[in-house]
Amino acid sequence: MLAKIFTGTVYGVDGLLIEVETDISPGLPVFATVGLAEGAVREARDRVKSAIRNSGYSFPNRRITVNLAPADLKKGGTGYDLPIALSILLASETITSEIATLYASIGELSLDGSVRRVNGVLPMVLAARKAGLKGVIVPVENCAEAAAVEGISVIGIATLYEAAEFLAGLRTINPSQQTGLEENHYPKHEPDFSEVRGQEHVKRALEIAAAGNHNVLMQGPPGSGKTMLARRLPSILPELTFEEALETSRIYSVMGLLPAGGRLMRHRPFRAPHHTISDAGLIGGGQIPKPGEVTLSHNGILFLDELPEFRKNVIEVLRQPMEDSTVTISRAATSMRFPAAFLMVAAMNPCPCGYLGDPGHQCTCTLPQIQRYSSQISGPLLDRIDIHVEVPAVPFKDIKATAPAEQSSLIREKVCRARAIQERRFAGAAPGFTNSRMEPRDLDKHCRLDDACQSLLEKAAHRLSLSARACHRVIKISRTIADLAGEENIGSQHIAEAIQYRRSSPRIC
C-alpha cells in the first residue's frame, strides 16, 4: 500500500516542503530510501525500525520503498526519521488517518521511540504555512521556536507513539501557545558606555553609526579602548522588531544556535570572529553551502578586531555583502543567497607595534613593515567604510574623572528616535532599512543639499580626494546626523561633522 506525508528541509536558510512517499509491497524484506538521500537519511532505516518496534508496533517484514520528493534535491539531516516512521505505519495500515496530509512532521527518533529536537525547524514551519498546511508535528524541545509562526498549529510530541495516536485521532494534543517578543529585556549587567572614560568623540561616532547603521573603522594605539567601545555598541542599538527577530532567528535555527528554550532572539547578534578565520567561515560555504559569520551577523554587528591581521583574501570578500547586504555562494550544482545586512565595526593599530603617531611612545617599526601592515587593507574596502575615527590614548586625568559619563540607555533613546524617523521615511521598504542603505535615487529624494552644503562638500571632495562613493557616504552620514538632531533638512554643520569622519582614514602605502 502507498502512503504520503509531508515534512520539511532547509535549503540555505529557507525551508522547503518535502513529500515522503512510502510503498510497501510483497517481496524480500528490503528497506530502500530514494530521492538523493545522504548518509544520515539512509541510516534512518535502522533508527526507524527500532523506534517502531520499541513503540509497541510491528515492523512490516516486506519490501519498503521510501521516496523523498522532489527527488533532484539532496536530503540531509535527521529530521526525516519521524515522517518516515509515520508513513510506514500508515502504509502498513497499522494506523489510519484522515488528517495525515494536513500536517507536516519533523523530528529525529531515538531507538526507544522518543523524539529528539532538530535544527532548522523555524524555516520549515514557515514553509509549511506557506504551503497551506493546517499544522506541524514537532519535538517538544522545538515547540517554542515553531510556535513563533502565526497562522499554523504546532503540535509538540515527545514520542513516536504520541504522534501516531494524534494522526489516528486517538489522542488530543492542544496546539502550543503562540510566542512573541517580550518588551524591554535588555540584560541587567550589559556592558555600558558609562564605563568608558574619555573618548567622547568616538562615542559620538558610534552613536551616529548605530542610528544609521553605518560601518565604522577605529584606529588607535593598544589600550586606547577600541575593543571596549565596540563591545558596548549593542547596548545602544534598538531591539529587534518582530520581523527582524523572525528573520534572524531563522538563521540561528538552521545553525542550531538559538538561545536556550528555543524562543525568538530579542537582541541583535554580535559576532567577533578570530582573525584566523577562513573565507568560507566568514562568508559561508561548503559542499552544501552554510551561512558564515556575515550572515550570523544579519541585523546585528560584525566586529573585526585587529583588522590587518586577517588574511587579505578573507577581508576582501566583504566588499560585495557590504554593498548589497546579501551573500551569493555559487557551486557547480547550486547557487544560494544568504542575507547579510550587518553593521561592520573594525579596529586596528596604526602599525605593527601600535605606536605610530602616538606622542607618548616611540614607534619601533620600519617603513617596509608599516607598508606591509597597512597594505593588508585595500583602498576599495576602506572606501566602503562610512566612518573612520581616531582613538587616541586616554589621558590619566580622564581615567580618574569622577563626572558621570552618558549611559547607554540615554544614547539608545536618541538612536531609537532617529531610527523611527528613518522607518517613517522608508515606509514600505524592507525591514531594518536605514540611511546607510540608500541608493542614489534615495539621496536625490531625501538628502537635498542647499548651495552652502554643496560648496562645503565640493571643497572637501577636492581637498581629501574623495571618490564618488565616499561623497555619497558623507551625505548619508550627514542625513543621520540631522535625524539625531531632529532636523528635517541637512545643514552645513551636519555636512561638516560628516566630513570629519573621512579625514582620519588609515594610510595606505
Side-chain angles (χ1 to χ4, degrees):
M1 185 177 175
L2 179 67
K4 295 182 181 181
I5 197 169
F6 291 104
T7 187
T9 190
V10 174
Y11 184 77
V13 294
D14 298 316
L16 291 177
L17 206 63
I18 300 295
E19 187 175 350
V20 180
E21 302 174 308
T22 298
D23 177 71
I24 299 180
S25 57
L28 294 174
V30 177
F31 192 149
T33 304
V34 297
L36 281 184
E38 296 194 328
V41 183
R42 291 195 300 270
E43 291 175 353
R45 60 178 178 267
D46 298 314
R47 293 190 296 272
V48 166
K49 186 181 297 185
S50 296
I52 289 176
R53 287 174 176 167
N54 290 324
S55 297
Y57 302 109
S58 59
F59 190 82
N61 194 30
R62 288 180 287 172
R63 181 179 181 84
I64 301 174
T65 303
V66 177
N67 179 47
L68 306 176
D72 61 345
L73 181 69
K74 286 186 178 181
K75 319 296 190 310
T78 56
Y80 296 94
D81 292 6
L82 179 60
I84 289 175
L86 292 173
S87 66
I88 290 174
L89 294 177
L90 290 167
S92 63
E93 299 184 325
T94 302
I95 61 172
T96 57
S97 174
E98 297 179 354
I99 62 171
T101 55
L102 301 179
Y103 285 82
S105 55
I106 308 156
E108 176 186 337
L109 289 176
S110 296
L111 299 184
D112 61 358
S114 59
V115 183
R116 295 174 173 168
R117 73 176 305 278
V118 294
N119 296 335
V121 163
L122 185 56
M124 296 182 203
V125 176
L126 289 168
R129 183 185 66 176
K130 184 178 180 180
L133 297 186
K134 181 179 180 180
V136 290
I137 302 171
V138 301
V140 290
E141 295 177 72
N142 290 115
C143 275
E145 62 173 297
V149 182
E150 299 178 349
I152 190 169
S153 296
V154 176
I155 307 299
I157 50 95
T159 63
L160 171 62
Y161 184 76
E162 289 180 12
E165 286 209 322
F166 172 78
L167 288 182
L170 302 176
R171 180 188 292 254
T172 300
I173 302 178
N174 294 324
S176 298
Q177 295 295 320
Q178 297 290 333
T179 59
L181 292 178
E182 300 176 29
E183 299 286 336
N184 301 323
H185 273 79
Y186 287 96
K188 292 182 179 179
H189 303 291
E190 186 177 43
D192 198 280
F193 265 105
S194 62
E195 301 165 349
V196 182
R197 301 298 181 183
Q199 308 294 17
E200 298 303 323
H201 70 293
V202 186
K203 295 179 187 178
R204 169 64 175 172
L206 293 179
E207 177 185 327
I208 295 169
N213 213 62
H214 300 286
N215 299 322
V216 183
L217 173 61
M218 296 182 287
Q219 178 180 273
S224 57
K226 302 184 294 296
T227 303
M228 187 178 186
L229 286 159
R231 293 193 178 278
R232 280 152 180 75
L233 184 57
S235 67
I236 64 172
L237 289 174
E239 284 195 331
L240 294 165
T241 64
F242 182 79
E243 292 78 11
E244 290 174 331
L246 196 62
E247 190 175 24
T248 305
S249 299
R250 180 183 58 158
I251 298 167
Y252 278 68
S253 174
V254 170
M255 301 299 289
L257 297 175
L258 275 183
R263 296 179 63 88
L264 291 186
M265 297 179 65
R266 293 191 298 263
H267 306 296
R268 297 183 183 275
F270 181 89
R271 305 293 298 185
H274 193 261
H275 62 259
T276 56
I277 192 171
S278 65
D279 52 356
L282 187 62
I283 296 297
Q287 186 175 5
I288 299 178
K290 292 288 186 182
E293 290 291 336
V294 297
T295 300
L296 291 171
S297 306
H298 182 60
N299 290 325
I301 297 171
L302 176 66
F303 177 45
L304 303 180
D305 202 2
E306 304 296 345
L307 184 63
E309 299 297 337
F310 286 78
R311 290 194 293 274
K312 189 169 184 176
N313 67 299
V314 172
I315 56 177
E316 287 302 310
V317 296
L318 288 171
R319 292 192 200 177
Q320 182 256 336
M322 289 172 68
E323 285 286 316
D324 302 335
S325 299
T326 59
V327 172
T328 302
I329 300 177
S330 298
R331 296 292 182 265
T334 186
S335 178
M336 292 184 184
R337 176 172 292 183
F338 298 133
F342 57 88
L343 192 168
M344 190 187 86
V345 180
M348 62 177 289
N349 297 325
C351 65
C353 79
Y355 295 112
L356 179 65
D358 184 5
H361 297 82
Q362 183 178 357
C363 176
T364 60
C365 302
T366 63
L367 181 59
Q369 287 176 324
I370 297 173
Q371 289 175 333
R372 282 194 300 270
Y373 185 76
S374 60
S375 65
Q376 284 292 105
I377 312 167
S378 68
L381 181 64
L382 283 174
D383 207 40
R384 286 171 167 83
I385 299 176
D386 299 5
I387 297 175
H388 303 254
V389 60
E390 293 276 359
V391 187
V394 182
F396 185 77
K397 63 181 180 63
D398 289 343
I399 298 175
K400 300 302 293 182
T402 57
E406 191 174 23
Q407 294 182 344
S408 290
S409 58
L410 299 177
I411 303 175
R412 184 169 59 240
E413 289 177 6
K414 293 186 286 184
V415 169
C416 288
R417 285 196 295 269
R419 288 283 185 113
I421 293 172
Q422 294 168 64
E423 187 177 349
R424 293 191 296 269
R425 176 183 299 135
F426 305 119
F433 194 94
T434 55
N435 290 337
S436 65
R437 297 172 66 180
M438 285 192 289
E439 299 290 338
R441 62 178 178 274
D442 299 314
L443 296 180
D444 295 335
K445 182 178 181 181
H446 303 296
C447 303
R448 295 186 179 276
L449 304 180
D450 59 24
D451 291 341
C453 292
Q454 290 277 15
S455 176
L456 183 59
L457 182 59
E458 182 179 357
K459 291 177 182 177
H462 177 72
R463 180 168 296 182
L464 301 177
S465 301
L466 299 180
S467 67
R469 182 194 288 119
C471 289
H472 282 171
R473 292 187 184 277
V474 168
I475 297 173
K476 293 177 186 179
I477 296 169
S478 62
R479 177 68 270 174
T480 300
I481 295 171
D483 290 343
L484 283 168
E487 298 184 15
E488 183 177 352
N489 298 318
I490 298 174
S492 299
Q493 69 276 22
H494 307 138
I495 291 286
E497 184 177 359
I499 291 171
Q500 297 302 310
Y501 299 121
R502 303 298 302 190
R503 293 185 61 187
S504 53
S505 299
R507 306 171 181 85
I508 297 297
C509 301

